[in-house]
Amino acid sequence: MQSDNKIFDDFVKFVNGAAGTLAGMGREAEQGARAKAKEFIGGLDFVSREEFEAVKAMAAAARDDADALRARLDALEGKTTARPAAPKKPKAGA
């Protein structure tokens, strides 16, 4: 019986060691994957929400300015085309 217990004890030690090794490898793999993901995402040009909102507001203001200028231009063009052209006088002696 003593020999059976020793074999069983050795087997349990082996399994515990293997489980600890596999758990350590899993933690290492997870940490490595997290580091690679952070490195990959850090290399991309992402902007913060505040920067996005600021640029969005600037674009809206520029669009409003462009609309106002377009309306002003249309009004100015309307004034020049609404005016009748002065008739040309015939040249004397022709």
Side-chain angles (χ1 to χ4, degrees):
M1 274 311 215
Q2 187 86 19
S3 64
D4 287 341
N5 285 338
K6 182 165 175 52
I7 291 173
F8 183 70
D9 287 342
D10 288 344
F11 179 72
V12 169
K13 286 180 185 177
F14 173 75
V15 170
N16 279 338
T21 301
L22 289 175
M25 288 173 56
R27 283 190 299 270
E28 251 184 75
E30 182 181 356
Q31 288 173 352
R34 284 181 190 268
K36 287 289 185 187
K38 282 184 180 180
E39 180 181 326
F40 175 74
I41 291 173
L44 299 176
D45 290 330
F46 285 117
V47 297
S48 67
R49 172 58 72 184
E50 293 81 21
E51 289 173 321
F52 175 78
E53 292 298 332
V55 172
K56 185 177 172 183
M58 288 170 42
R63 194 170 34 254
D64 292 342
D65 289 346
D67 290 342
L69 289 173
R70 186 174 298 115
R72 184 175 172 198
L73 181 63
D74 289 343
L76 289 173
E77 286 178 346
K79 287 180 184 177
T80 59
T81 57
R83 211 181 314 161
K88 292 185 180 180
K89 293 184 181 181
K91 291 185 180 178

